[in-house]
Amino acid sequence: MYFMEKPGRLYDAVKASENGSTSLRLTTAAQEVGEAETHLSKERLWKDKALHGVYPRLLVKDDTDVETSLSWLRAGLTAETEGFVCAIQDQVVKTRAYERTILGRDIDDRCRMCGQATETIWHLSTSFPALAKKDYVERHNSVPKLLHWNILREHGLEFNAAWYLHNPQHVVENEHVKVYWDLQIITDREIPANRPDIVLVNKQARQVQLIDVSVPSDANVKEKEREKVQKYHDLTLEVQKLWSMRKVTTVLIIVGATGIVTKAFRRHVNSVSQVKPELLVKTAVMGTTRIVRRSLGLIAESAV
């Protein structure tokens, strides 16, 4: 390295003619290897962290679609928003749990609003009582609304110029398809899970797709998929029988609060629409940033 950094025409000539067989190149190669090892060491330390390592450990699970889970990073968000999402994923937002666990403060880590659950970032983003009736519903609805808008557009049905202005009608149809939005399906026997977000009926093929959306915490994505499969099993059978359909399938659009999706996610999306799966991920992630900001604001107001 000393030789490589020396100025002067002689040194420049030697460096320019060096073809990789001298110690000059060997020194550079050794430096590159050292930097790679340092990077791997830092990555291992990050994943081993009890709190900050939760998200990176989810990324390396066998059933995680890493590329789609990280697609929100290519969505043109502002640097401030990207940084805030990363802070949520690393759980470095200043919650009571963070103050007690990481900062070592001797405080009660229960939620300052509900007084029951531990005040973690996941409590604020997925189970904060003050936001349950409005903010969580808005985040949830934004994902199927984008999907519904694209389904109408692709099947020649009337739609708004922009999806975020879309106000879904309960029933829309033409000679080819019929699309239900957030409607209870009447069956002969009582079935509790009878209200998927969207129902897409292909009249000519006599096929039905029951589309259901969920935005759970990133750690619960796989469990939520299993839960939804069981939840809609009976409704699938009833619809096929009562509507005289050849085929009825359940389509699950499950996106983690900060973007984690499984390898089944893209296949499910592509089975009902040409919308880019990355847009659904971005929509869910943006909803989470709004929710966390609002929950922290409510906590700050309650402390005044």
Side-chain angles (χ1 to χ4, degrees), residues 283-297:
T283 301
V285 170
M286 290 300 294
T288 297
T289 63
R290 288 190 291 269
I291 283 171
V292 174
R293 286 191 178 106
R294 177 155 164 69
S295 61
L296 292 173

Side-chain angles (χ1 to χ4, degrees), residues 148 152 157-158 167-174 177-184 197-199 201 203 243:
H148 186 268
L152 299 191
L157 294 160
E158 188 176 345
N167 183 26
Q169 302 301 305
H170 285 301
V171 183
V172 184
E173 66 178 312
N174 58 21
V177 298
K178 192 172 189 176
V179 186
Y180 297 92
W181 167 267
D182 191 30
L183 274 182
Q184 179 181 348
D197 291 296
I198 303 170
V199 177
V201 181
K203 296 179 179 180
W243 294 6

